[in-house]
Every structure is written in structure tokens, then in C-alpha cells.
């Protein structure tokens, strides 16, 4: 594809899709990221040639040369988004152009080519269209879309690759946390940080998540659901969780989240929650929150609620915080009123059950 040309997709339907009966059985309790639909999208890129060979095809293993650059230097980025079934049987995407834009920013940070945003959105539209029977109909279910791109060039030199593969897959999901929308517990790791200034913290690259896994394992050892990272410079200010942003709600109704200083993922749900909270009359602030203040304000009762948010987590209350210095509860460990109201407002817009004044929803069908 040369600049400005629209990429055409070749559609090769899966000759052996999962039967309707087997699909229905899989959709009863899909969990998160365990089951996958019949198709995937693939698009190739080569320097000098641009984007080519766009396909919708049967989901299948991807043959990889052992010297493919991604396997050695982790040049990989991804996105997470969801397709929602609406009450009238339609299908919505939530802010897909924002995911497309962030995918482009992540690509630039990782020295990768930028997939045109309209091709990104078109690829997901086509995937959802062919696999629409996989979208759960229950109100907590959705079809999680995972577009990603990696360096496929067969080369061991350390430089940006000159060949890439873009892939999009889809997975019917329920709640990200196995307990559903119950308050989760977080472990403030004393040892590990997520990203340093100048690093890749603002990019959605696989390496950030790989680096979080040992800290996440530490959180689980301490009986927590998620890890929370403090900043890499002072080890004092809250950055984000292993895969979601974090918000604080105070007794004066103010809603606070750490600022985007380059070490935090600019979450699309984070930005949407800031907008919804401001519109609901809350004073919203993007400012640093120290761990010390988090604990002191929770203990004094000034801090009423804390929640995590992201595409996968939606808005999930945080009820308990543990660190080597001890542990404390937020709001008595119960879900907060503001948290649950923001969650409902967001979900209602995503599912087409509430007006969409910001034009966040793309109705696919
Ligand atoms: C998402 O929320 O979509 C993510 O990519 C985070 C991951 C924890 C699933």
C-alpha cells in the first residue's frame, strides 16, 4: 500500500469453524483470554513495500523463524479493546480511533512502522463481522479484541527490523478478575518499578508487561490480586497497577489520578473516567499521590474509594492495600458509591444503554 491507498482485505473464511453447539458451551463461562474465535486478521509490512497482504483468515499458529527479531529483542506492541452486544442486537466498539492512535504512538516509540488508523479500525470491524456470533450476549460479557504487531524479520542485529506482522485476534470474555466486580487487593512492591522516565512506560509494548510479571507473582505470594508500582525515581509516588490505571476518590468528592509523565500508560478508560467524573460534578485532578499519603488518608477516612480501570478491568474497586510496612483497607473493603456509579455510566455508554454525547461509540452493525 502506498500513502493514501486503502488496503483491501482478502477474506478466507475458516473451512472448519467451531460448531454452534460447541460455541454456545464455550460461551457459558468464558473467563478472560482463554477461548478464541474462528478467525484472525493478518497484515504484513516490509520496508520499501509498505503494508500488504491484508487477510481475514482462519485463526491458526503463526510460523516463526527462530531468528525472528521479536523473539530476541521484544519489538512488539499491542492494544486491548472490546466489542459489545447492544440491547437491540447491534454491536458497538468503544473509542477504536483512540486505540488506533495509541497503537501508532506505541509503534513510534518502539521504532516500528505506523499502521494507518483507518486500516487498524477496518481490520477490527472485519474480524468482529466474521466472528460476530462469538460475542457474548450476557450483560457482563464482551468480545475482547487484541490487535498486536511484531518484528518478523529474520535477523539478529540490534536495529529496528524491516519486516513486521500485524495480527488481530478475538476472545469472548467475562470479568477480568475471577471474583467478578468485587473489590480487589493490591501489593505495593518495594523492589520493582514498572518504567523510568525516558523508558517505554507510556507505550503499550509487551516488554512492559513481561517486566511486571515477577512483581505480579510477588503480589500473589502476598495474597493480593494485583501489583501496584511506585515511581522509579523516588519510589514514593503511585504509578499504576500491573495492567491498569488507578484512581482515588476523597471525602470532598474529588477524583484524583496520577499524571501522565511518560511512565504511565495513557489509558483510554482512564481518560473517559476523568471526563465522566468531571461531568458528574466531581473535581478531577491529575496529580501525584504518594504511597504515604495513600495510607494516611485511607486511615483517617479522608480517602473514601480507590479503583483500577482499563479495558479489561473496566472499573474495579480496590478494597485492600498491602506493603512490607503493613496493610490497610479502603472504605472498609467495600465497593465505593462513586466507583460503582462511574463504572455503570461507562458501561451504559459502551453498551448503547445511555446517550453518547462525546461520540465515543462506533456502532459496527
Ligand atoms: C487491557 O486492559 O486491555 C490490557 O491490555 C491490560 C491487560 C491486563 C489485559
Amino acid at each position: 500500500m502506498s500513502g493514501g491507498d486503502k488496503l483491501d482485505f482478502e477474506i478466507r473464511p475458516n473451512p472448519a469453524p467451531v460448531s454452534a453447539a460447541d460455541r454456545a458451551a464455550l460461551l457459558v463461562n468464558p473467563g478472560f483470554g482463554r477461548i478464541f474465535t474462528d478467525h484472525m486478521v493478518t497484515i504484513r509490512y516490509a520496508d520499501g513495500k509498505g503494508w500488504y497482504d491484508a487477510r481475514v483468515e482462519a485463526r491458526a499458529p503463526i510460523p516463526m523463524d527462530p531468528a525472528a527479531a521479536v523473539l530476541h529483542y521484544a519489538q512488539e506492541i499491542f492494544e486491548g479493546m472490546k466489542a459489545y452486544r447492544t440491547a437491540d442486537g447491534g454491536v458497538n466498539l468503544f473509542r477504536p480511533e483512540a486505540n488506533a492512535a495509541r497503537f501508532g504512538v506505541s509503534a513510534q516509540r518502539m521504532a516500528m512502522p505506523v499502521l494507518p488508523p483507518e486500516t487498524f479500525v477496518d481490520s477490527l470491524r472485519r474480524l468482529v463481522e466474521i466472528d460476530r456470533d462469538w460475542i457474548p450476549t450476557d450483560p457482563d460479557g464482551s468480545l475482547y479484541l487484541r490487535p498486536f504487531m511484531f518484528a518478523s524479520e529474520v535477523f539478529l542485529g540490534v536495529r529496528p527490523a524491516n519486516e513486521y506482522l500485524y495480527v488481530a485476534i478475538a476472545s469472548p470474555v467475562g470479568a477480568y478478575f475471577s471474583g467478578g466486580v468485587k473489590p480487589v487487593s493490591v501489593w505495593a512492591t518495594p523492589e520493582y518499578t514498572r518504567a523510568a522516565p525516558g523508558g517505554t512506560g507510556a507505550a503499550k509494548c509487551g516488554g512492559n508487561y513481561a517486566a511486571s510479571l515477577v512483581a505480579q507473582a510477588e503480589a500473589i505470594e502476598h495474597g493480593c490480586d494485583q501489583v501496584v508500582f511506585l515511581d522509579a525515581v523516588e519510589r514514593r509516588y503511585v504509578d499504576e497497577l500491573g495492567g491498569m490505571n488507578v484512581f482515588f476518590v476523597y471525602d470532598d468528592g474529588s477524583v484524583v489520578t496520577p499524571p501522565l509523565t511518560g511512565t504511565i500508560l495513557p489509558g483510554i478508560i482512564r481518560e473517559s473516567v476523568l471526563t465522566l467524573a468531571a461531568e458528574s460534578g466531581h473535581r478531577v485532578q491529575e496529580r501525584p499521590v504518594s504511597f504515604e499519603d495513600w495510607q494516611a488518608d485511607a486511615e483517617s477516612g479522608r480517602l473514601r474509594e480507590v479503583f483500577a480501570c482499563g479495558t479489561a478491568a473496566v472499573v474495579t474497586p480496590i478494597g485492600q492495600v498491602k506493603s512490607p510496612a503493613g496493610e490497610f483497607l479502603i472504605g472498609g473493603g467495600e465497593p465505593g458509591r462513586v466507583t460503582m456509579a462511574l463504572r455503570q455510566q461507562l458501561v451504559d455508554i459502551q453498551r448503547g444503554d445511555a446517550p453518547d454525547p462525546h461520540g465515543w461509540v462506533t456502532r459496527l452493525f
Side-chain angles (χ1 to χ4, degrees), residues 14-359:
N14 187 333
V18 172
S19 72
D22 287 350
R23 188 174 59 235
L26 288 167
L27 289 177
V28 170
N29 181 16
F32 184 89
R34 288 193 292 112
I35 61 174
F36 297 92
T37 64
D38 293 310
H39 295 89
M40 64 182 184
V41 168
T42 54
I43 310 176
R44 293 178 183 278
Y45 176 92
D47 276 0
K49 188 168 177 179
W51 298 98
Y52 68 101
D53 268 4
R55 287 187 197 143
V56 178
E57 58 190 320
R59 199 182 78 86
I62 299 169
M64 296 268 277
D65 190 286
V70 66
L71 299 178
H72 304 272
Y73 311 123
Q75 211 189 354
E76 190 267 356
I77 58 171
F78 68 97
E79 276 299 321
M81 49 207 296
K82 286 174 174 170
Y84 305 88
R85 179 85 67 185
T86 61
D88 63 358
V91 179
N92 284 349
L93 290 184
F94 185 69
R95 307 188 71 180
E97 61 299 320
N99 291 89
R102 188 172 65 185
F103 198 63
V105 171
S106 298
Q108 282 167 329
R109 177 61 183 85
M110 301 301 286
M112 300 166 94
V114 173
L115 182 69
E118 58 281 9
T119 303
F120 177 93
V121 176
D122 202 20
S123 75
L124 299 171
R125 178 187 299 275
R126 285 166 188 278
L127 182 59
V128 175
E129 186 168 28
I130 200 161
D131 281 337
R132 64 185 295 173
D133 290 342
W134 284 91
I135 307 175
T137 46
D138 75 274
D140 291 325
S142 56
L143 186 65
Y144 186 78
L145 305 174
R146 175 50 65 86
F148 60 104
M149 174 165 67
F150 60 88
S152 53
E153 187 191 0
V154 177
F155 180 63
L156 293 185
V158 182
R159 59 146 170 78
N162 56 33
E163 287 172 21
Y164 295 87
L165 182 62
Y166 166 85
V167 186
I169 55 175
S171 172
V173 297
Y176 182 72
F177 292 105
S178 53
V181 194
K182 291 212 210 81
V184 296
S185 53
V186 297
W187 165 252
T189 173
E191 189 172 358
Y192 302 105
T193 60
R194 180 179 175 277
T200 57
K204 204 160 173 68
C205 60
N208 286 343
Y209 294 77
S212 78
L213 297 178
V214 65
Q216 176 63 24
E218 195 185 80
I220 289 166
E221 272 167 35
H222 286 87
C224 292
D225 299 294
Q226 268 282 312
V227 60
V228 57
F229 290 104
L230 304 183
D231 77 283
V233 177
E234 295 188 54
R235 306 285 185 113
R236 199 172 159 210
Y237 296 100
V238 179
D239 260 359
E240 65 175 75
L241 270 54
M244 44 209 88
N245 297 122
V246 61
F247 276 77
F248 301 85
V249 183
Y250 292 89
D251 58 355
D252 63 356
S254 57
V255 171
V256 174
T257 194
L260 300 179
T261 52
T263 61
I264 291 179
L265 188 80
I268 293 157
I269 301 300
R270 173 190 178 280
E271 210 239 304
S272 308
V273 166
L274 281 171
T275 303
L276 293 175
E279 285 173 358
S280 304
H282 295 279
R283 186 160 69 101
V284 299
Q285 282 181 300
E286 296 178 72
R287 64 161 172 83
V289 175
S290 69
F291 188 74
E292 266 166 280
D293 286 349
W294 183 355
Q295 176 155 12
D297 290 340
E299 286 170 352
S300 74
R302 193 170 101 75
L303 177 66
R304 292 285 163 85
E305 306 177 27
V306 180
F307 62 87
C309 71
T311 296
V314 195
V315 169
T316 300
I318 295 175
Q320 189 183 30
V321 185
K322 293 188 188 176
S323 79
E327 53 187 82
F328 54 96
L329 293 180
I330 314 286
E334 295 300 318
R337 189 181 50 78
V338 175
T339 302
M340 297 314 279
L342 286 168
R343 179 188 168 93
Q344 197 58 52
Q345 269 180 279
L346 177 73
V347 168
D348 285 349
I349 296 174
Q350 290 171 328
R351 295 188 174 273
D353 294 334
D356 174 29
H358 303 285

